[in-house]
Amino acid sequence: MAELRPAVLALTRGGAQTARMLGHELHGLAGRVEAADVTFDDMMAHCSALFAAGRPIVGLCAAGILIRAVAPLLASKHDEPPVIAVSEDGSHVVPLLGGHRGANRMARDIARQLGGTAAVTTAGDTVFGIALDEPPEGWALANPQDAKSAAASMLRDGGAVLEGEQPPWSDIPRAGHVTLEGTLERREGGPAHLVYHPKRVAIGVGCARDCPPDELFSLVEQTLTEANVASASIAAVATVDLKADEPAVLALARRLGLPLRLFTAEELETFTPRLANPSGVVFAEIGCHGVAEAAALATAGPTARLKVDKRKTARATCALAIGDAPILRPAGRKPGSVRLVGIGPGQAAWRTPEASRLVAGSDELVGYGLYLDLLGPLARGKPQHRFPLGEETERCRFALERAGEGFDVALVCSGDAGIYAMGALVHELLDRAPSSLSDAARRVEVISAPGISALQGAAARAGAPLGHDFCAISLSDLMTPWPTIEHRIEAAATGDFVIAFYNPVSMRRRTQLARARDILLQHRPADTPVMLASHIGRTDETIRYRRLHQLQVDEIDMLTTVLVGSSQSRLYRRGTGPVFYTPRGYGDRRPGTPPTGSPT
């Protein structure tokens, strides 16, 4: 996943002048800040969207503004990105959130750049210059739950006892009864014993196709136990690229919370002289003399050595390699992914936090140009591959191939990626046209993030028209023959479904919607309510209501979603305007009787 860059927010020209000294992407308030990389109109909404996407935030503004903007999104201190308030003149830098994600270090760096003071309030940071529960990169704390009590004891005693390997911390006075131990081995730890693991170990694995995930995981667990190596000392899992889509390998990396690194057989073959168990059988099958041992050595760096030779079961192999220093950047290629992202109608408030995180963490963006534009600041600074309407297959194939090269690619769709969008086409290519893709593209991971579809957005604006059974039908005959579409309309009309019509008309298609209206009029009242929703959730949103017999093709365009009620749907007026809803039948139910509109 791409590293998320800090966003520096400025509300005034003076703040922007200070912000530019930091060298990060400048986000400025429209009309006040000139030449910003990204402009915004609503500070609260913009800050909230960045926080939801996991972007570190540095605000040249009052701390209260930042606090109020992100407060509704606060959940776990271990997952929240840094949020830092900086006075407009740069004299004071206050880390508000994200101390577990580097906020204190960021605050100190910013203070040094601006010649100001970092107002770090964490006790351990203030006295010793360290955060006990935030070890340096390449290290992990085995018992973070004990950090608070250990810090209190260290403050009382004035120091700690250091044992084993030590992280590159600033000097800590040797005093007191708290022990800070650095080791690769498993340790229990406790309130007076914090255990830190340097990530110097790489796991190399191999397995037969469709190896049970539990078999590979159990082998790795057994190997680590026999070697007395803590799982937190592991920097990465590695294997040959032919296993990029192997469920057991992917599951292992997920269960351990580790990055997966891939190597070609040719790359692994260069490690043959260093293998403890070279295999001619493996060479004959895939072109290298070993996978597990070679992948572990390749990942751990040029000075790595085998700590545990190849261990195996009937269908899996495992080996451990150890480097001389923490493995900060594991060698090898990461497995790429295609992220099917539905961004809803486009505005940040209607975009899910998961979708924002996937976009923010992607290396590249692929999509129709309008949809990429709707991402606003999330898309800034990322390579964008824009495809026009009509090149959907090319768009999906391109995303898969780029992912096959090791990139995390967000395939951006409006609404929900799985509803009349690119999700189905990506899976169709993988299922029905694999020969049109490279081997690497066929092995990429596909991730889906739900979005708010047009029918959901329109229904929310209307009231509750989807309160009972409903369906969606596209009137475009580019993919589906018109007789089939007509049959579906007839079936939906007979079943008395509320119907959401997508793609109701185009420049050349002017008859299908009228035909759909005529079919429906044979099955439901002429005064059935109809909603015409255009650009829902955007600044040019338009909502109109008609009765079914009034529906006219010429007042609808291809960006309109048409919601047609069932025979039970109602349109009534309140002070705020018309309300369109379909009763479920709750109000009419008596013991032993079905809801209104249900078959008896």
Side-chain angles (χ1 to χ4, degrees):
M1 180 178 285
E3 184 176 353
L4 301 184
R5 300 171 300 142
V8 183
L9 280 59
L11 304 181
T12 65
R13 292 181 180 179
Q17 185 175 358
T18 302
R20 290 189 178 95
M21 298 171 63
L22 300 178
H24 295 303
E25 185 177 78
L26 174 60
H27 295 227
L29 181 62
R32 291 190 185 180
V33 176
E34 299 176 353
D37 300 307
V38 178
T39 59
F40 57 86
D41 296 308
D42 186 330
M43 169 67 172
M44 301 290 282
H46 187 73
C47 188
S48 177
L50 291 170
F51 187 82
R55 288 283 297 273
I57 298 170
V58 179
L60 276 294
C61 61
I65 297 175
L66 299 174
I67 292 171
R68 286 191 295 274
V70 305
L73 303 176
L74 298 183
S76 169
K77 65 180 183 179
H78 298 286
D79 299 326
E80 293 158 357
V83 178
I84 300 172
V86 182
S87 60
E88 188 169 299
D89 62 359
S91 60
H92 295 87
V93 184
V94 185
L96 302 174
L97 293 169
H100 295 265
R101 300 283 298 279
N104 293 340
R105 286 199 301 268
M106 283 182 62
R108 289 196 178 91
D109 291 341
I110 291 171
R112 280 192 291 269
Q113 287 180 270
L114 302 180
T117 300
V120 177
T121 57
T122 307
D125 279 81
T126 303
V127 177
F128 301 115
I130 63 172
L132 292 177
D133 56 355
E134 187 195 344
E137 185 181 14
W139 290 77
L141 175 59
N143 52 325
Q145 71 278 4
D146 295 321
K148 184 176 181 179
S149 58
S153 297
M154 286 176 59
L155 290 171
R156 183 184 62 247
D157 299 339
V161 177
L162 275 62
E163 293 184 357
E165 299 185 43
Q166 291 304 310
W169 278 332
S170 55
D171 291 337
I172 299 175
R174 272 52 170 178
H177 67 284
V178 173
T179 299
L180 307 182
E181 180 183 11
T183 178
L184 294 173
E185 299 179 355
R186 301 181 178 191
R187 294 283 192 275
E188 284 297 325
H193 183 189
L194 299 185
V195 180
Y196 294 90
H197 297 300
K199 292 183 174 294
R200 295 201 288 121
V201 179
I203 300 177
V205 297
C207 64
R209 181 58 66 183
D210 296 324
C211 169
D214 285 344
E215 180 176 342
L216 179 59
F217 183 76
S218 296
L219 174 61
V220 169
E221 281 284 278
Q222 181 181 352
T223 302
L224 293 173
T225 299
E226 292 176 355
N228 194 25
V229 171
S231 59
S233 296
I234 305 166
V237 175
T239 190
V240 66
D241 60 358
L242 297 175
K243 298 298 178 181
D245 62 342
E246 187 63 51
V249 174
L250 296 174
L252 174 67
R254 282 194 296 267
R255 290 176 73 170
L256 295 177
L258 294 171
L260 176 62
R261 290 296 179 262
L262 306 173
F263 298 88
T264 65
E266 292 77 11
E267 290 170 331
L268 296 181
E269 178 62 12
T270 64
F271 289 85
T272 298
R274 299 168 58 186
L275 302 184
N277 300 281
S279 170
V281 174
V282 175
F283 179 79
E285 185 173 346
I286 66 172
C288 63
H289 280 83
V291 173
E293 292 180 349
L297 289 168
T299 305
T303 62
R305 60 191 182 280
L306 287 175
K307 181 173 180 62
V308 178
D309 297 353
K310 181 175 69 175
R311 301 289 187 267
K312 63 181 181 178
T313 62
R315 287 165 289 190
T317 60
C318 170
L320 304 182
I322 184 171
D324 294 330
I327 305 169
L328 302 182
R329 302 291 181 269
R333 175 174 65 80
K334 69 178 183 180
S337 66
V338 170
R339 289 107 179 270
L340 299 170
V341 178
I343 63 171
Q347 63 158 296
W350 282 19
R351 188 167 57 235
T352 67
E354 180 187 16
S356 294
R357 284 194 296 270
L358 287 176
V359 171
S362 294
D363 301 307
E364 299 183 354
L365 308 178
V366 175
Y368 176 46
L370 171 63
Y371 304 154
L372 298 182
D373 291 338
L374 290 172
L375 286 172
L378 277 183
R380 300 287 179 148
K382 293 183 180 296
Q384 299 181 21
H385 306 281
R386 294 170 173 253
F387 287 77
L389 292 175
E391 293 187 6
E392 286 76 16
T393 300
E394 292 81 358
R395 191 188 313 174
C396 294
R397 184 177 289 115
F398 179 86
L400 287 166
E401 291 294 349
R402 290 297 287 172
E405 295 174 30
F407 296 101
D408 290 319
V409 180
L411 183 55
V412 179
C413 309
S414 68
D416 185 292
I419 300 177
Y420 297 125
M422 299 298 97
L425 182 51
V426 164
H427 288 293
E428 185 176 3
L429 286 171
L430 291 168
D431 176 40
R432 301 175 63 178
S435 61
S436 68
L437 301 170
S438 66
D439 288 344
R442 292 197 295 270
R443 297 190 182 99
V444 303
E445 184 178 15
V446 179
I447 304 168
S448 297
I452 295 176
S453 64
L455 66 87
Q456 290 173 293
R461 288 290 195 251
L466 307 181
H468 211 313
D469 297 339
F470 63 91
C471 66
I473 299 175
S474 172
L475 295 183
S476 172
D477 58 1
L478 290 175
M479 306 293 180
T480 307
W482 174 249
T484 300
I485 297 173
E486 193 170 39
H487 177 71
R488 291 171 180 172
I489 297 170
E490 183 74 40
T494 302
D496 201 23
F497 286 92
V498 175
I499 304 174
F501 285 119
Y502 281 68
N503 307 309
V505 299
S506 70
M507 293 296 292
R508 68 171 186 83
R509 283 188 299 105
R510 311 301 297 176
T511 62
Q512 285 91 332
L513 181 61
R515 176 59 183 149
R517 175 200 61 204
D518 294 342
I519 293 173
L520 291 173
L521 283 171
Q522 298 173 23
H523 297 272
R524 59 193 64 176
D527 65 349
T528 297
V530 177
M531 178 188 191
L532 310 180
S534 302
H535 306 280
I536 289 294
R538 301 174 188 168
T539 56
D540 51 350
E541 173 181 292
T542 302
I543 297 173
R544 293 160 291 162
Y545 292 99
R546 299 289 184 268
R547 299 296 179 174
L548 184 56
H549 70 93
Q550 299 171 329
L551 187 58
Q552 299 296 319
V553 173
D554 290 341
E555 63 177 335
I556 298 168
D557 61 25
M558 64 184 297
L559 296 178
T560 301
T561 299
V562 179
L563 286 183
V564 181
S566 72
S567 65
Q568 302 298 310
S569 297
R570 295 178 57 80
L571 193 67
Y572 79 103
R573 181 168 294 278
R574 297 195 65 201
T576 55
V579 178
F580 179 14
Y581 77 101
T582 303
R584 183 83 187 277
Y586 296 111
D588 299 321
R589 293 197 66 178
R590 297 185 305 276
T593 63
T596 300
S598 297
T600 58

